[in-house]
Amino acid sequence: MLEVRGLSFSYGDFSIEKVTFEVGRGEVVILLGPNGSGKTTMLKAIYGLLKPKEKCVFIDGKDFHGLPIRERARLAGYVPQSHTPPFPYTVLEVVVTGLASQLGPFESPRNEHYEKALEKLRLLGLEDFKDRPYTQLSGGQMQLVLIARALIQEPRVLLLDEPTAHLDFKNQVKVLGIVRKLAQEGISAIITLHDPNLASIYSDRIALVKEGKIMAIGRPHEVLREKTLRDVYGVPVCVIEFNGFRLILPRTEVIL
Ligand SMILES: Nc1ncnc2c1ncn2[C@@H]1O[C@H](COP(=O)(O)OP(=O)(O)OP(=O)(O)O)[C@@H](O)[C@H]1O
Ligand SMILES: [Mg+2]
């Protein structure tokens, strides 16, 4: 469904090089890797916020970056790692801005659009916050609002940059559960996470990212191996099996 073919981008002293992978319809691929390894750069370059030199992102065979912005917004929704709105919009207004590309240039959002926004806020348990200024929310609440803003577009692919970073455990489970449910409906996702255990549980495949490259990509049990993780993170870990999932723990010598 989504194909990344030889994606390269450079900031100058940091580059991502020839990143190639595919994401199937309804597949969840999680990018896992150390701070500064290039996960955000990859997501931004895939979405087109950073401009790779060559055509390298295809959705259903079409050059994604070459499509008009409206069509791109229908295909892919992006949730940044952090975001500061320029004005103290209400929560409901922030979610409605997710529909901006679907409205005409002089068209204002109508009741049906606000209803839709409310539905997404309800899904994320935030309906009571709808009239609050977005800037007065906690970090986790802001993150949930941004997820609602991406969901309202009803895109075919979600690109989520650390969507669980500020969330409590219940909300982490909720957000990743929503992603899995959407996957069952055929929505694909590329997500960056830091928790290898959540990646193991919620992904179809994991891509391990190091120094701008994908070091390994595969099903969690193929990728989450002691040696591979030690190579990527430089920390000794042990891998255990629980209920069919592969889980990662730091080795005792790191704890003590
Ligand atoms: N706007 C920028 N200009 C120059 N260099 C940048 C810029 N943004 C990021 N970098 C550099 O690119 C590298 C990769 O950054 P990136 O944000 O993609 O990492 P990441 O894997 O998402 O890290 P984290 O897990 O901390 O979010 C880092 O070395 C960073 O310093
Ligand atoms: Mg990042």
Side-chain angles (χ1 to χ4, degrees):
M1 195 253 142
L2 181 140
E3 204 185 337
V4 180
R5 212 188 290 157
L7 175 131
S8 299
F9 175 84
S10 177
Y11 275 125
D13 51 2
F14 177 84
S15 322
I16 52 171
E17 281 166 41
K18 296 195 178 125
V19 171
T20 295
F21 64 100
E22 287 176 19
V23 185
R25 184 170 182 275
E27 189 183 26
V28 178
V29 172
I30 292 187
L31 306 182
L32 201 61
N35 292 129
S37 57
K39 304 176 299 297
T40 296
T41 310
M42 283 179 197
L43 273 196
K44 284 184 176 170
I46 292 170
Y47 191 59
L49 291 174
L50 300 173
K51 304 278 174 243
K53 287 197 190 81
E54 322 249 330
K55 289 181 188 171
C56 52
V57 179
F58 302 89
I59 296 189
D60 293 337
K62 285 191 222 164
D63 166 28
F64 177 61
H65 296 160
L67 295 172
I69 189 153
R70 268 176 174 239
E71 211 172 320
R72 274 193 275 156
R74 277 176 207 275
L75 286 172
Y78 169 71
V79 177
Q81 191 167 349
S82 59
H83 163 84
T84 318
F87 304 108
Y89 291 118
T90 67
V91 164
L92 195 66
E93 283 164 345
V94 170
V95 178
V96 163
T97 60
L99 292 171
S101 63
Q102 295 180 28
L103 298 172
F106 301 107
E107 197 182 347
S108 302
R110 295 184 297 279
N111 269 351
E112 67 200 77
H113 301 120
Y114 287 107
E115 272 307 313
K116 218 170 168 185
L118 203 52
E119 182 197 309
K120 299 302 173 202
L121 285 175
R122 221 172 271 134
L123 178 72
L124 292 158
L126 278 180
E127 66 270 40
D128 291 346
F129 292 85
K130 70 179 172 60
D131 299 320
R132 286 267 292 271
Y134 172 78
T135 43
Q136 290 177 16
L137 298 182
S138 76
Q141 290 163 343
M142 282 189 192
Q143 206 157 23
L144 290 169
V145 172
L146 293 183
I147 292 166
R149 188 181 67 160
L151 294 181
I152 199 174
Q153 290 172 235
E154 295 177 346
R156 306 229 349 250
V157 187
L158 282 167
L159 305 173
L160 308 178
D161 199 356
E162 292 192 37
T164 56
H166 300 285
L167 300 185
D168 67 39
F169 188 61
K170 178 182 161 194
N171 280 328
Q172 292 183 14
V173 169
K174 181 189 275 184
V175 164
L176 293 171
I178 291 170
V179 170
R180 284 260 46 121
K181 188 164 173 290
L182 291 169
Q184 278 177 359
E185 295 165 16
I187 312 293
S188 313
I190 307 176
I191 307 175
T192 73
L193 285 186
H194 277 304
D195 183 336
N197 294 323
L198 290 178
S200 175
I201 294 165
Y202 287 99
S203 71
D204 293 303
R205 281 188 301 149
I206 292 175
L208 285 181
V209 179
K210 187 181 180 187
E211 295 168 2
K213 296 189 192 71
I214 292 186
M215 305 299 285
I217 182 163
R219 304 220 162 260
H221 69 271
E222 294 166 334
V223 168
L224 298 177
R225 293 170 185 271
E226 290 178 6
K227 182 175 179 318
T228 321
L229 289 167
R230 185 197 281 256
D231 288 348
V232 169
Y233 286 105
V235 170
V237 299
C238 52
V239 175
I240 58 168
E241 299 277 342
F242 179 74
N243 277 357
F245 291 110
R246 203 155 253 236
L247 300 178
I248 313 302
L249 295 171
R251 292 192 81 89
T252 28
E253 63 257 37
V254 187
I255 302 170
L256 299 175

